[in-house]
């Protein structure tokens, strides 16, 4: 691929371990892209320090400083658009987005969710998976649509639930997979290989082994 490096933005609310995975995989060339802006709605988010350490511009856009959701999201979009991002990654961003924002970035807005969607959308999903007694959970990267934690699925990874697991242990095991499949999804986007067909994502040039690759995500590189 000779395409120019993808310019992308990452929006966070917290620790930013997924952001770190994206930083690392962009720095080592696995993702043919560059994070040009990290935005947090939480001023104390540790992810801001991760970005700062990597020399990536950061902005705090605190939702509490705005009278309503619409004006908060307009500020968010203005910052992302000013940075000329082609893709926006939601990496532990804990605000629900309105249809206006989702439409503004349709087809170029990715989210990571710590469950195997469409099972367990929403919050507290590790505890809910334990309570439901499922044997497996996992992680999902998907394009964002108007409905929360819905949208065409790009990548998933399966994680076993083991005897004695609590929500924290399961969350940690799922996070390890998040750190693999989010960079994988962004890499595929950056390579212009993702094509949304209705509610499904087709991976160009990968049709034959896509299913196996996504259950056991491709090794980096
Ligand atoms: C991840 O589990 C992500 O899927 C969820 O929030 C968590 C964020 O973790 N939406 P981090 O901030 O990337 O470490």
């Amino acid at each position: 691929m000779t395409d120019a490096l993808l310019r992308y933005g990452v929006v966070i609310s917290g620790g930013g371990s997924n952001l770190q995975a994206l930083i690392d995989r962009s720095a080592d060339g696995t993702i043919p892209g560059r994070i040009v802006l990290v935005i947090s709605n939480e001023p104390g988010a540790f992810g801001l320090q991760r970005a700062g350490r990597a020399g990536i511009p950061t902005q705090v856009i605190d939702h509490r400083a705005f009278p309503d959701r619409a004006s908060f999201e307009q500020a968010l979009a203005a910052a992302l658009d000013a940075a000329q991002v082609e893709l926006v990654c939601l990496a532990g961003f804990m605000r629900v987005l309105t249809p206006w924002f989702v439409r503004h970035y349709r087809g170029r807005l990715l989210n990571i969710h710590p469950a195997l969607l469409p099972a367990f959308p929403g919050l507290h999903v590790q505890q809910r998976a334990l309570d439901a007694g499922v044997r497996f959970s996992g992680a999902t990267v998907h394009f964002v649509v108007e409905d929360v934690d819905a949208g065409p699925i790009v990548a998933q990874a399966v994680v076993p639930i083991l005897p004695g697991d609590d929500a924290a242990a399961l969350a940690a095991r799922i996070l390890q997979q998040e750190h693999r499949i989010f960079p994988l999804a962004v890499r595929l986007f950056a390579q212009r290989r993702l094509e949304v067909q209705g509610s499904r994502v087709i991976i160009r040039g990968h049709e034959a082994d896509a299913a196996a690759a996504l259950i056991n995500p491709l090794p980096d590189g």
Side-chain angles (χ1 to χ4, degrees):
M1 291 272 165
T2 53
D3 289 346
L5 287 184
L6 177 83
R7 293 175 64 86
Y8 71 107
V10 183
V11 184
I12 63 169
S13 297
S17 68
N18 278 290
L19 165 66
Q20 188 67 56
L22 295 172
I23 290 172
D24 293 345
R25 297 287 81 77
S26 300
D28 71 13
T30 304
I31 298 172
R34 188 160 73 90
I35 303 173
V36 293
L37 179 61
V38 171
I39 299 177
S40 174
N41 66 307
E42 293 289 349
F46 181 65
L48 291 167
Q49 292 182 42
R50 296 180 188 271
R53 273 205 309 255
I56 298 167
T58 60
Q59 282 188 36
V60 173
I61 301 181
D62 187 339
H63 59 281
R64 287 159 289 234
F66 295 86
D68 52 29
R69 210 175 271 275
S71 54
F72 165 66
E73 290 185 0
Q74 279 160 18
L76 203 56
L80 291 163
D81 290 346
Q84 296 180 300
V85 301
E86 299 162 80
L87 170 72
V88 177
C89 292
L90 306 178
F93 178 60
M94 300 307 286
R95 308 288 301 171
V96 171
L97 293 163
T98 68
W100 174 82
F101 190 93
V102 171
R103 284 187 203 126
H104 189 73
Y105 292 105
R106 182 177 299 288
R108 51 198 195 101
L109 183 59
L110 290 176
N111 181 48
I112 180 113
H113 182 76
L116 286 177
L117 294 174
F120 305 114
L123 296 175
H124 311 300
V125 295
Q126 295 89 353
Q127 188 59 54
R128 285 165 49 211
L130 292 172
D131 292 346
V134 295
R135 301 297 187 196
F136 295 93
S137 190
T140 303
V141 180
H142 64 97
F143 283 106
V144 177
V145 296
E146 282 86 341
D147 292 335
V148 174
D149 295 328
I153 290 169
V154 178
Q156 290 188 303
V158 176
V159 168
I161 291 176
L162 301 178
D165 268 354
D166 59 12
L170 178 57
R173 193 175 308 122
I174 291 172
L175 262 181
Q176 289 181 355
Q177 294 304 316
E178 295 184 42
H179 299 162
R180 292 167 57 85
I181 65 170
F182 211 176
L184 168 67
V186 176
R187 175 161 71 104
L188 293 169
F189 186 97
Q191 292 172 330
R192 329 279 163 183
R193 289 169 64 192
L194 300 180
E195 186 182 323
V196 178
Q197 289 185 1
S199 57
R200 301 180 61 210
V201 176
I202 308 299
I203 301 174
R204 287 195 202 100
H206 211 272
E207 290 79 2
D209 57 356
L214 296 181
I215 291 168
N216 299 301
L218 293 173
D220 293 335

